[in-house]
Amino acid sequence: MKINFDSKRELKELYQVGNVIEDSGSVFLVCQQIYSSGKLKKYFLISLETGIVASGMYNSLENLKKATGSERDRLVKAKLIVDYKLDGDE
């Protein structure tokens, strides 16, 4: 994964759905899950290194930031390359 750091943004803008953030060398995607026909939304982080949900599920981005955010978080641009095989491919 190639990562470029973007130091132009303020910390308050980091926790937006779709942003990729870095904290202490680990990289996370800020995600949203919508339940019940769009009436209930939960926010969480996914580790881009392991593909595992790396936080709890929170009702707002503000709650996610309070629970998981730190002063070390940085907004990054990450280029993720996915290598996969279709059935029968070598």
Side-chain angles (χ1 to χ4, degrees):
M1 180 180 342
K2 181 179 178 184
I3 299 173
N4 295 317
F5 293 97
D6 183 354
S7 60
K8 298 176 186 175
R9 302 229 182 158
E10 295 181 21
L11 184 62
K12 66 182 179 182
E13 297 177 352
L14 294 180
Y15 283 79
Q16 299 296 322
V17 173
N19 275 2
V20 177
I21 60 174
E22 182 266 343
D23 179 41
S24 300
S26 297
V27 183
F28 304 96
L29 176 65
V30 181
C31 301
Q32 176 187 68
Q33 176 69 47
I34 301 174
Y35 300 93
S36 304
S37 302
K39 295 179 183 176
L40 178 63
K41 296 177 184 177
K42 296 285 185 175
Y43 300 90
F44 57 98
L45 300 177
I46 290 184
S47 169
L48 290 181
E49 295 166 2
T50 64
I52 297 172
V53 174
S55 73
M57 304 288 274
Y58 297 92
N59 292 327
S60 71
L61 287 168
E62 183 176 313
N63 290 341
L64 174 64
K65 179 181 176 182
K66 285 179 185 176
T68 62
S70 78
E71 304 246 346
R72 298 182 311 256
D73 290 349
R74 294 191 278 180
L75 182 67
V76 298
K77 293 180 181 179
K79 181 177 182 180
L80 181 62
I81 299 171
V82 178
D83 186 15
Y84 63 92
K85 292 185 204 177
L86 297 175
D87 288 340
D89 286 349
E90 294 290 324

